[in-house]
């Protein structure tokens, strides 16, 4: 495929129509039909892309369930990539929850039952020697792939271990990369690392098409990851590796090993953290407060929760606080209650956030002997409450009202998704705080009407971060994705918010996702250049971003012979 306005191909007839990157369906002109051997293979009417989009949207609209709509969209993708992305771009606010969270979770759960056709690379831990062969079988030349989204499916979207079905989260993420940031769909690759599954329901399912043995852990798993990374970078040396929905232990281990060596990031840890930081910075613009003056409670200190905390830590460090001062602003709570240095089973990545047992000696404990969230809120008087626990309703009326007693504008972010897992719903948070709470959610919610004010509820959606971050890193040819680049992405998101009216959202409206992604990409590039980790020679950042963004438009196709 050419980068000009004309594509030259050796494909003809049905073979051409079967290639989703080249197929234009009824939009092939009469001249193209004659030249490309398509006469008689298509209805006689020649349609424009606009006309095709209207028809596709009508087909989409009559589907009765979100899962059916998801299936229709990906059937369209497998037939005509340009038409799929033009439709998605035109209806992004409506369709983002269909191709991405929350509907993608259902599609993942039912993957083996609704399987239509392969969607990327399926790499099995039972065939490590075959990884390079799999990459060869893609048929791509060196560096023809800019971006890989890879998962091992251990911790999918609040629904846990989903085995082979995790390929759909990689596919969904990549669709957002292209729709929001214009990353060329012919230069992306979804990957699932099938290391087995501990989900007995999958093992017992006669339709399941993944490995049925228990998840492999330890040294053999680590070797598999290393083999994959090595092969990916052998074939595509400049590729960006985006890790998605791994279990927190493996996710942290991989980032510790590779994060400062190659172009890579983990979206659940760093992407989530960056969008959370963006929402907090937006909230502080409304309150006039400083980040260094906040008291932050993290309810659910797993990969996402500590990922949020880590991004805030990095931002505080950039403000000149010492390591001790930074961590003193956090309290982490999980099923064991408030984490202290008396908990022997604290995970390595949680250790910086434990409190000294001596400072909580007189605190009340429940019948199980743990310090509860309610007690922490009473004692700490937090200004920010972050929820990544997956415990629906955990932010109770008592807890929220207690928090609101001690801070004029409590910042409350129930981030767990999908929607039924949210720690609280926005309507309750607004009512319980008499309209004072600054709220962002992990899932989409309707506006809340309260006392004559319409409160727009922002969704702390990683989609505000990862598409622009990825585009910026790729355009800059960055060596790594640095802490400064994440901070730049968060600041860009906060700058895109309108904070000067009552009920304003802490995050941009999803309808501005493409605009936000461009802004994020530009700020990420500028930071990479200033930090000396950009290998591309870029004089005009705005122009470089605009030039890099693929657009869903048909180009003329001409036949060539070899």
């Amino acid at each position: 495929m050419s980068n000009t306005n004309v594509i030259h191909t050796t494909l003809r007839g049905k073979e051409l129509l079967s290639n989703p990157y080249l197929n234009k369906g009824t939009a092939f002109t009469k001249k193209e039909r004659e030249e490309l051997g398509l006469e008689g293979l298509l209805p006689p009417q020649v349609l424009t892309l606009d006309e095709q989009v209207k028809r596709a949207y009508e087909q989409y609209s009559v589907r009765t369930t979100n899962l059916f709509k998801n299936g229709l969209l990906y059937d369209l993708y497998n037939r005509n990539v340009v038409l799929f992305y033009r439709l998605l771009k035109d209806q992004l606010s409506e369709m983002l929850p269909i191709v991405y969270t929350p509907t993608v979770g259902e599609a993942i759960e039912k993957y083996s039952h609704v399987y239509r056709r392969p969607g990327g690379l399926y790499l099995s831990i039972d065939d490590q020697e075959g990884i390079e062969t799999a990459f060869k079988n893609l048929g791509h030349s060196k560096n023809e792939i800019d971006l890989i989204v890879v998962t091992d499916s251990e911790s999918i979207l609040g629904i846990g271990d989903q085995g082979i079905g995790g390929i759909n989260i990689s596919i969904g993420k990549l669709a957002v990369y292209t729709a929001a940031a214009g990353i060329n769909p012919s230069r992306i690759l979804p990957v699932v690392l099938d290391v087995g599954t501990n989900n007995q329901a999958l093992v017992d399912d006669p339709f399941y098409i993944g490995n049925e043995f228990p998840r492999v852990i330890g040294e053999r798993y680590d070797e598999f990851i290393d083999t994959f990374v090595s092969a990916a970078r052998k074939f595509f040396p400049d590729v960006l590796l985006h890790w998605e929905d791994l279990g927190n232990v493996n996710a942290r281990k991989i980032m510790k090993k590779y994060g400062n060596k190659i172009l890579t990031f983990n979206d659940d840890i760093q992407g989530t953290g960056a969008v959370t930081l963006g929402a907090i910075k937006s909230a502080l613009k409304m309150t006039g407060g400083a980040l260094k003056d906040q008291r932050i409670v993290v309810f659910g200190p797993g990969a996402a929760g500590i990922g949020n905390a880590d991004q805030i830590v990095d931002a505080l460090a950039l403000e000149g606080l010492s390591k001790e001062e930074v961590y003193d602003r956090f309290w982490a709570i999980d099923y064991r209650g408030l984490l202290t240095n008396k908990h022997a089973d604290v995970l390595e990545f949680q250790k910086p956030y434990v409190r000294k047992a001596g400072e909580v000696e007189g605190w009340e404990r429940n019948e199980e002997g743990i310090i509860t969230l309610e007690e922490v809120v009473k004692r700490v008087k937090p200004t920010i409450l972050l929820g990544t626990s997956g415990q629906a309703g955990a932010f109770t009326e008592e807890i929220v009202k207690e928090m609101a007693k001690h801070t004029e504008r409590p910042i409350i972010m129930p981030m767990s998704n999908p929607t039924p897992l949210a720690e609280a719903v926005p309507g309750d948070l607004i009512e319980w705080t008499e309209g004072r709470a600054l709220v962002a959610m992990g899932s989409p919610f309707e506006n809340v009407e309260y006392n004559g004010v319409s409160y727009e509820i922002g969704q702390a959606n990683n989609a505000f971060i990862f598409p622009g971050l990825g585009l910026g890193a790729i355009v800059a040819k960055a060596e790594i994705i640095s802490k400064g680049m994440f901070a730049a992405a968060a600041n860009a998101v906060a700058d895109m918010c309108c904070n000067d009216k009552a009920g304003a959202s802490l995050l941009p409206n999803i309808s501005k996702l493409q605009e936000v992604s461009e802004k994020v990409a530009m700020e990420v590039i500028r930071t990479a250049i200033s930090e000396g980790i950009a290998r591309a020679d870029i004089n005009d950042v705005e122009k470089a971003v605009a030039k890099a963004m693929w657009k869903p438009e048909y180009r003329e196709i001409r036949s060539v012979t070899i």
Side-chain angles (χ1 to χ4, degrees), residues 385-433:
L385 178 57
L386 302 177
T388 47
S389 67
Q391 293 184 32
F395 295 172
T396 64
E397 183 174 358
E398 293 74 23
I399 288 170
V400 171
K401 284 185 172 180
E402 179 65 31
M403 181 181 180
K405 279 183 195 174
H406 308 287
T407 180
E408 181 60 28
R409 303 298 306 274
I411 299 167
I412 305 176
M413 299 176 62
M415 303 280 283
S416 293
N417 58 44
T419 308
L421 301 181
E423 287 83 3
V425 297
D428 287 341
L429 296 174
I430 298 297
E431 183 182 339
W432 295 338
T433 61

Side-chain angles (χ1 to χ4, degrees), residues 14 68 79 144 166 218 259 263 336 356 414 436 471 517 561:
K14 285 190 174 182
F68 282 165
R79 292 197 315 272
E144 275 192 342
L263 190 63
R336 296 162 291 189
K356 291 175 182 173
R436 294 187 286 122
L471 178 63
S517 297
T561 54

Side-chain angles (χ1 to χ4, degrees), residues 88-302:
L88 184 57
K89 184 177 180 181
D90 286 358
Q91 307 293 339
L92 190 57
S93 296
E94 178 181 353
M95 293 183 176
L96 189 65
I98 304 299
V99 299
Y100 184 44
T101 180
T103 305
V104 71
E106 189 179 358
I108 290 167
E109 287 183 297
K110 297 181 178 176
Y111 182 77
S112 292
H113 285 258
V114 299
Y115 177 81
R116 293 173 177 83
R117 57 173 289 169
L121 276 190
Y122 303 78
L123 303 178
S124 173
I125 197 164
D126 266 0
D127 186 22
Q128 291 197 44
E129 315 79 51
I131 290 179
E132 284 206 16
T133 301
F135 274 100
K136 283 178 189 172
N137 289 342
L138 288 169
H140 288 296
S141 300
K142 195 167 189 177
N143 263 341
E144 275 192 342
I145 295 294
D146 295 322
L147 170 65
I148 292 174
V149 175
V150 55
T151 184
D152 73 356
S153 314
E154 184 177 359
S155 186
I156 299 280
L157 290 172
I159 56 176
D161 185 345
Q162 295 298 320
I164 202 76
I167 188 76
N168 267 354
I169 195 64
S170 297
I171 292 169
K173 285 279 183 176
L174 288 168
V176 180
Y177 267 113
T178 297
I183 292 182
N184 191 323
S186 68
R187 299 183 63 86
I188 60 180
L189 177 65
V191 175
V192 62
L193 304 176
D194 191 349
V195 298
T197 180
N198 294 335
N199 184 337
Q200 194 60 41
L202 293 180
V203 175
D204 293 340
D205 185 347
F207 289 103
Y208 183 60
I209 52 179
N211 287 327
E212 296 177 338
F213 48 75
R215 277 189 170 269
V216 174
I217 59 174
E219 189 176 334
R220 189 173 162 215
Y221 176 94
D222 297 341
E223 288 174 359
F224 184 47
I225 294 296
D226 292 342
T227 304
F228 161 71
V229 171
S230 176
R233 287 174 49 76
K234 175 180 177 180
F235 285 84
F236 313 119
D238 296 333
V239 73
L240 167 59
L241 291 179
H242 165 145
W243 301 90
E244 186 70 27
D245 287 348
L246 279 67
N248 55 34
V249 174
N250 287 324
R252 290 272 167 177
K253 190 191 302 182
I254 289 168
M255 288 313 302
K256 185 175 181 181
K257 181 167 188 176
Y258 289 109
N260 292 320
K261 295 178 182 175
I262 65 174
L263 190 63
T264 190
F265 76 104
N266 183 296
D267 191 47
D268 305 296
I269 298 172
Q270 295 157 299
T272 300
V275 76
T276 301
L277 177 61
I280 289 171
K281 290 203 165 192
S282 177
L284 293 177
K285 285 184 180 182
M286 296 184 187
T287 67
L291 187 60
K292 65 183 177 61
D293 296 327
Q294 306 310 304
R295 297 180 300 280
I296 304 157
V297 169
V298 179
F299 185 65

